[in-house]
Amino acid sequence: MSNLLDLNFIEDCNKQLKQEIHQDYQALGEKLARNNIDIEDVLKQAQSFSIAVPSWGVGTGGTRFARFPGIGEPRNIFEKLEDCAVINRLVTCTPTVSPHFPWDVVDDMSALREQADTLGLKFDAVNSNTFQDQADQQHSYKYGSLTHTDTATREQAIKHNLDCIEYGKALGSKALTVWVGDGSNHPGQQHFSRALERYLDSTRVIYNALPDDWQMFIEHKMFEPAFYSTVIQDWGTNVLCAMELGDKAKSLVDLGHHAPNVNIEMIVSRLIQFKKLAGFHFNDSKYGDDDLDSGSINPYQQFLIFNELVDAEYRAAEGFDPAYMLDQSHNVTDPIESLMNSAESVQRSFVQAKLVDREALYGYQESNDALMASNTLKAAFHLDVSPILAMARLRTGGAINPLQAYRRSRYREQIASKRPSSGHTGSGIV
Ligand code: LRH
Ligand code: MN
């Protein structure tokens, strides 16, 4: 296994950075102390943060036009877990993996769970897939899956979701994420309310099969693969279905699934208020569901989302227990580097939101002092919390500078010699 998983290597990488990081940490500590903030408290909060890595994110992603795989591509879930372990080894805040079925199906799920345990990983929410036809599939999902007009096709899609629950139970997961691309490309092609009725009938069967301690995460998306209407198109339809199904159903927010400029942080606040926030698929986008690295385009929006999340925690909002996951497509970068960068970016937004002077903010909100309210948020957003993030990693055995350590390890080159290229380019997200 790679030198990356060897403690001495990471300690060696940290050696020349330690003095610098302690100086920066001390300086930031003094700055925060002037506002009666104990940096050690903030550090503990930073260390409590964790986010799941999508198993499908460690391979090179693509678009409908093409996919340009890199070297050392993971060829199965076992190799994907190896790469996820490397990420967690260096950034120490990604101890869980979100698998996708049937892409990650193996004959012996307990062997998979054992390998994950060996690598210090656990499984987060499992994802079903009724947006592609599998080779041995009887009924096509061309015209939909859980909402298809044909009963046999709906039953096939329901069965797949029930199988995913069984896979998840074997892996120790506690949630099923259901995203369906069902919709239409032409006005008149689909009867909107009948399609949603079929969706509810199908998901009720899946919901009733959930173990007591499980949840169902419903994921909405504005468009793609359908380009005129999507059955679960927006948070409104999503939360209505979650309310219709019951307490174990909640609404998952994938940042890229909204029209440009939609106020996602307000959607988050609404879902929290109605105890229906399942969690997130973090990524970033400029146009559509671009699945770009989290915080790479609009870091202030990501911060504002965490401002709502930290505010809910601060107010001990009832039923507040969101799941944090990344969901990205790495078309032009090394997926491991992008996932490390993105995990740190989301952790950064969380820590910055923890540094918002919430009582002062409430005061300005009550007195309608708009400018000072905005400045109170900006003050936290402009704080460079890098020393806290690096110290959090250092104190949990990670790398002060994950990217530098990863490149120094030459992991990608090493693993490429063990993973001959499939030569498969093709197109599509995986
Ligand atoms: C749909 C989506 C969904 C996953 C898929 C890989 O765009 O965000 O969460 O199933 O990407
Ligand atoms: Mn998603």
Side-chain angles (χ1 to χ4, degrees):
M1 191 16 89
S2 151
N3 55 6
L4 264 177
L5 296 182
D6 142 16
L7 263 181
N8 308 326
F9 175 80
I10 293 180
E11 261 164 32
D12 194 45
C13 292
N14 288 341
K15 213 171 284 147
Q16 67 261 29
L17 299 171
K18 261 193 184 153
Q19 193 193 2
E20 188 185 304
I21 207 65
H22 280 293
Q23 284 166 355
D24 294 352
Y25 185 75
Q26 191 175 346
L28 179 58
E30 285 156 14
K31 180 182 171 82
L32 294 177
R34 288 199 292 273
N35 295 332
N36 307 318
I37 297 171
D38 176 355
I39 194 169
E40 285 295 314
D41 283 350
V42 185
L43 180 79
K44 286 196 192 64
Q45 314 249 6
Q47 289 172 321
S48 72
F49 177 85
S50 78
I51 186 162
V53 167
S55 65
W56 61 95
V58 283
T60 298
T63 70
R64 59 184 169 165
F65 298 106
R67 191 176 80 91
F68 304 96
I71 60 168
E73 291 279 324
R75 297 163 295 174
N76 53 54
I77 182 63
F78 293 99
E79 293 180 348
K80 292 175 185 176
L81 289 184
E82 287 171 7
D83 294 356
C84 291
V86 164
I87 295 166
N88 190 44
R89 190 81 206 73
L90 293 169
V91 297
T92 73
C93 63
T94 58
T96 56
V97 176
S98 184
H100 215 301
F101 301 118
W103 296 335
D104 298 328
V105 165
V106 293
D107 300 338
D108 184 350
M109 284 292 172
S110 57
L112 184 56
R113 186 170 184 170
E114 271 159 41
Q115 193 222 10
D117 284 343
T118 317
L119 293 167
L121 298 170
K122 293 259 179 284
F123 287 100
D124 208 300
V126 300
N127 299 268
S128 61
N129 173 346
T130 59
F131 51 85
Q132 292 173 323
D133 287 348
Q134 306 307 315
D136 56 356
Q137 198 170 299
Q138 199 181 354
H139 306 286
S140 171
Y141 294 136
K142 179 173 181 175
Y143 297 110
S145 61
L146 296 175
T147 74
H148 200 293
T149 53
D150 169 58
T151 308
T153 307
R154 294 199 302 275
E155 282 166 357
Q156 175 185 275
I158 292 167
K159 171 79 173 55
H160 167 66
N161 280 276
L162 301 184
D163 293 346
C164 290
I165 294 173
E166 293 315 309
Y167 301 143
K169 282 156 69 174
L171 296 177
S173 174
K174 294 290 181 200
L176 168 69
T177 297
V178 181
W179 168 68
V180 292
D182 297 21
S184 69
N185 278 10
H186 300 269
Q189 175 188 343
Q190 189 167 62
H191 191 290
F192 295 146
S193 59
R194 288 188 185 134
L196 189 60
E197 271 317 318
R198 292 192 293 267
Y199 175 86
L200 288 167
D201 291 346
S202 299
T203 44
R204 263 192 213 98
V205 179
I206 301 166
Y207 182 89
N208 294 336
L210 291 172
D212 293 347
D213 59 351
W214 269 55
Q215 293 187 309
M216 178 195 282
F217 297 166
I218 299 174
E219 185 176 2
H220 58 276
K221 181 173 180 178
M222 186 171 69
F223 75 99
E224 188 206 40
F227 292 103
Y228 168 64
S229 71
T230 293
V231 177
I232 310 299
Q233 181 161 44
D234 53 51
W235 77 276
T237 306
N238 188 334
V239 79
L240 286 171
C241 292
M243 288 174 170
E244 184 70 19
L245 290 169
D247 293 351
K248 288 189 281 187
K250 293 189 174 179
S251 303
L252 183 133
V253 176
D254 183 314
L255 274 60
H257 289 187
H258 305 85
N261 307 324
V262 160
N263 189 329
I264 299 175
E265 57 271 23
M266 192 169 78
I267 292 172
V268 170
S269 166
R270 294 283 182 270
L271 292 173
I272 292 168
Q273 187 163 353
F274 292 91
K275 308 178 192 62
K276 280 297 183 184
L277 178 63
F280 297 85
H281 280 179
F282 282 105
N283 47 58
D284 213 334
S285 50
K286 196 164 179 59
Y287 305 104
D289 186 20
D290 310 343
D291 280 341
L292 300 175
D293 293 5
S294 298
S296 63
I297 304 290
N298 190 349
Y300 194 52
Q301 172 181 263
Q302 187 171 281
F303 162 77
L304 291 173
I305 288 169
F306 271 94
N307 177 52
E308 293 303 324
L309 297 167
V310 169
D311 191 75
E313 222 175 81
Y314 185 79
R315 293 178 289 110
E318 207 191 321
F320 180 73
D321 177 25
Y324 299 145
M325 291 165 274
L326 295 170
D327 178 3
Q328 301 172 180
S329 180
H330 310 110
N331 304 356
V332 294
T333 57
D334 180 320
I336 290 178
E337 296 188 351
S338 274
L339 287 163
M340 293 196 296
N341 242 26
S342 303
E344 189 200 44
S345 164
V346 181
Q347 188 183 32
R348 182 184 299 278
S349 299
F350 169 73
V351 172
Q352 289 170 327
K354 285 282 179 183
L355 293 169
V356 170
D357 183 341
R358 229 144 268 291
E359 292 305 327
L361 178 63
Y362 292 161
Y364 295 129
Q365 289 170 339
E366 290 308 312
S367 62
N368 300 304
D369 186 339
L371 193 89
M372 282 312 293
S374 168
N375 281 1
T376 304
L377 290 184
K378 278 285 175 70
F381 178 67
H382 289 147
L383 268 173
D384 179 3
V385 297
S386 305
I388 293 173
L389 304 179
M391 188 62 81
R393 291 189 292 269
L394 177 61
R395 297 220 189 138
T396 42
I400 290 172
N401 184 329
L403 198 58
Q404 188 189 69
Y406 174 71
R407 291 193 172 184
R408 247 189 76 188
S409 78
R410 301 186 62 69
Y411 175 80
R412 181 59 65 189
E413 294 78 3
Q414 280 181 31
I415 213 76
S417 60
K418 295 195 183 97
R419 298 175 185 171
S421 148
S422 64
H424 159 69
T425 54
S427 62
I429 60 171
V430 293

